[in-house]
Amino acid sequence: MKKQKNSGITLIALVITIIVLLILAGVTIATLTGENGILTRASEASEQTEIGDEQEKIKLSVTGAITENNGGEITRTNLNKELTNYIGTEGTDYTLSETETAPFVVTYTDSGRSYVIDENGNVSEYVDISKYVGVGDYVNYNPTVSDKSGTQVEASKLTYTSPTGTGTEHGNGYTSTEEDGGQKFTATASTKWRVLDIGNGTVTLISENPITTDAGENFTMNGAIGYLYAEQELNEICKIYGYGYGADTSQVTKYNYGGPTDGELTGEIRGSGARSITIEDINKQAGITEADYTTLDNNYGSTTNPIEDVYYPTITTPNGQSRSAGVKNLEYTYYYYNKTKIENTDVQNMLFNGNYWLASRCINTYSGSSNFYVRRVFGSGTNAERLCYGNGSNLDGISYSLYAVRPIVILKSNVIDINTNYETEGHWNLK
């Protein structure tokens, strides 16, 4: 009998075929659904398109809000009106943060995505950084580099020499022993920074310690000139820390200058994300509002003193002093409180760390005289230091060199890398 030939598939061939098919299937699945797969990329593209559409509607709303106010600042009322036109009903299709001025946060109801609008109308994705970062945390901010690759900030931006000045030109009123007679400050990478406050789309940092001059001395202000320009000089010094990578350089720092007869004089610094700390910054941490000032000092707001004309500081004379007694019934704006107003002891220790000036001025008055003060943190409280004293005979100037300066930096919150291992690093890194 003739033996029949076996033409079927062997077991080995079958196994090999199955393996090949499994490999091909795996490759196909990975191609479709992997990290860089077709379906994943398509989903990401769809998401990016949706994000772009959401941002575009907000940008159009911002443009409309600015136009509505004739090119002025964005108000919540105008912004909300425009968002209603482009997105839908507030509370149903979107929510808008309750603040009356920028930054604003807009959240879409369906997607859950949020976007922040700064005071210049710029729109960016919003991350609730407070879920990760806490007040008092350290942040690896470097004011001397402008990007992640380490490009150095222009040297001219990192230094400021505060001049003596005159009554008609800004300065601190004091001639220092440094080379040019001014008091020089230079921003360095060695300064450490801590979180002071977390806002809508921003994180406010404060230097770990108060800052002294390059000569290692405190910042001295003197007499009428020191009082007239105190807020400007403190902000001019601190602005050198606001050009580093991550700093929100869209910030506008406003300050007051001048004396009681010079009118409401204000100046501003643009292009830097840093400024001097103020009494308002500390009040925010203490939960103190203007309604509390009369509780802190029952004379606050009074204009009953002085009851006779006194000499006063003014920008109209070279030495900053009035040529005659000419003002009375000045508003009393001084108040004081202790650090215990701040409940968080970590924040207490962070703020009441050394003695330093605040870019805020005030006046206290008596029946025949007035004291012109610059606010300060000293020891365990916030109070003020008198730089000049006016009565019916003259205006006396006083020089103080006990206090350093304290810069704060406004960071864009979306530059903080929330994937940082804070326990290991000891600070938050920037993306």
Side-chain angles (χ1 to χ4, degrees):
M1 178 186 266
K2 191 174 182 181
K3 189 175 182 181
Q4 186 177 4
K5 184 178 179 182
N6 185 359
S7 59
I9 300 173
T10 67
L11 181 59
I12 293 175
L14 180 60
V15 171
I16 292 173
T17 301
I18 292 172
I19 291 173
V20 170
L21 290 173
L22 288 173
I23 292 171
L24 291 173
V27 170
T28 302
I29 291 170
T31 302
L32 289 172
T33 64
E35 186 177 342
N36 295 308
I38 295 171
L39 294 179
T40 302
R41 289 201 300 270
S43 176
E44 289 174 350
S46 175
E47 182 180 12
Q48 290 305 311
T49 299
E50 188 176 321
I51 290 172
D53 181 59
E54 290 177 343
Q55 287 185 329
E56 184 62 25
K57 289 177 180 177
I58 295 174
K59 289 176 182 177
L60 291 170
S61 300
V62 169
T63 300
I66 293 173
T67 303
E68 187 79 18
N69 202 26
N70 298 317
E73 68 176 11
I74 307 166
T75 66
R76 189 185 190 281
T77 299
N78 289 339
L79 177 61
N80 207 23
K81 176 182 175 182
E82 297 297 325
L83 290 169
T84 300
N85 291 336
Y86 286 101
I87 299 176
T89 306
E90 184 188 11
T92 301
D93 301 301
Y94 73 91
T95 57
L96 175 63
S97 56
E98 293 298 326
T99 53
E100 292 300 323
T101 57
F104 300 101
V105 175
V106 180
T107 301
Y108 282 84
T109 302
D110 288 343
S111 70
R113 283 187 286 267
S114 297
Y115 303 90
V116 63
I117 305 165
D118 68 22
E119 61 184 12
N120 294 316
N122 300 311
V123 179
S124 58
E125 288 190 65
Y126 172 73
V127 177
D128 186 1
I129 208 75
S130 64
K131 294 179 179 178
Y132 310 92
V133 179
V135 171
D137 286 0
Y138 286 87
V139 175
N140 191 22
Y141 171 72
N142 183 350
T144 69
V145 297
S146 60
D147 55 38
K148 284 289 288 182
S149 64
T151 303
Q152 291 292 302
V153 174
E154 297 172 42
S156 60
K157 290 183 175 181
L158 297 176
T159 185
Y160 177 74
T161 300
S162 177
T164 302
T166 66
T168 58
E169 187 174 349
H170 75 91
N172 54 63
Y174 173 75
T175 301
S176 80
T177 56
E178 294 186 44
E179 263 184 42
D180 54 6
Q183 297 177 78
K184 185 178 181 181
F185 293 81
T186 303
T188 66
S190 61
T191 302
K192 292 184 178 180
W193 301 89
R194 303 183 69 181
V195 175
L196 175 63
D197 189 49
I198 299 173
N200 290 331
T202 61
V203 173
T204 301
L205 307 181
I206 186 170
S207 63
E208 181 181 39
N209 299 302
I211 305 294
T212 57
T213 70
D214 288 0
E217 298 178 352
N218 288 323
F219 181 55
T220 302
M221 289 190 284
N222 178 60
I225 297 170
Y227 171 81
L228 291 167
Y229 298 104
E231 294 181 26
Q232 178 175 357
E233 289 309 299
L234 289 166
N235 282 307
E236 293 282 2
I237 293 166
C238 293
K239 76 178 182 182
I240 65 177
Y241 295 93
Y243 301 105
Y245 172 68
D248 186 356
T249 55
S250 69
Q251 297 291 316
V252 178
T253 298
K254 296 184 179 182
Y255 56 82
N256 297 313
Y257 67 99
T261 66
D262 297 325
E264 295 293 326
L265 300 178
T266 60
E268 60 182 38
I269 294 173
R270 291 179 175 269
S272 169
R275 61 175 173 81
S276 170
I277 190 170
T278 65
I279 187 62
E280 289 77 18
D281 294 312
I282 298 179
N283 287 351
K284 184 175 182 180
Q285 297 301 319
I288 290 173
T289 66
E290 191 169 355
D292 301 310
Y293 298 166
T294 51
T295 302
L296 296 170
D297 193 311
N298 59 14
N299 289 315
Y300 183 86
S302 169
T303 56
T304 57
N305 290 325
I307 58 177
E308 60 184 45
D309 285 343
V310 298
Y311 281 75
Y312 55 91
T314 176
I315 63 169
T316 61
T317 63
N319 66 358
Q321 301 177 17
S322 65
R323 293 189 173 94
S324 63
V327 295
K328 60 182 177 181
N329 299 329
L330 293 174
E331 183 180 3
Y332 187 107
T333 54
Y334 171 85
Y335 58 86
Y336 158 84
Y337 60 88
N338 193 279
K339 70 179 184 180
T340 54
K341 285 284 185 182
I342 300 174
E343 293 181 1
N344 188 318
T345 55
D346 289 337
V347 177
Q348 282 184 26
N349 294 334
M350 183 168 63
L351 287 175
F352 295 87
N353 171 22
N355 304 321
Y356 56 91
W357 296 107
L358 302 172
S360 308
R361 301 179 301 163
C362 59
I363 296 173
N364 80 355
T365 62
Y366 300 96
S367 61
S369 63
S370 284
N371 296 296
F372 300 92
Y373 284 169
V374 177
R375 295 187 186 275
R376 64 181 184 173
V377 164
F378 182 69
S380 62
T382 63
N383 47 35
E385 196 69 84
R386 180 175 65 180
L387 288 187
C388 47
Y389 164 82
N391 57 28
S393 304
N394 56 23
L395 182 74
D396 290 331
I398 303 168
S399 181
Y400 277 101
S401 58
L402 298 175
Y403 314 106
V405 300
R406 199 88 188 264
I408 63 175
V409 175
I410 313 299
L411 279 191
K412 300 173 183 177
S413 61
N414 59 6
V415 303
I416 293 183
D417 186 358
I418 58 177
N419 294 313
T420 305
N421 187 329
Y422 188 83
E423 295 295 324
T424 302
E425 298 278 353
H427 55 245
W428 293 100
N429 291 318
L430 303 185
K431 294 179 183 176

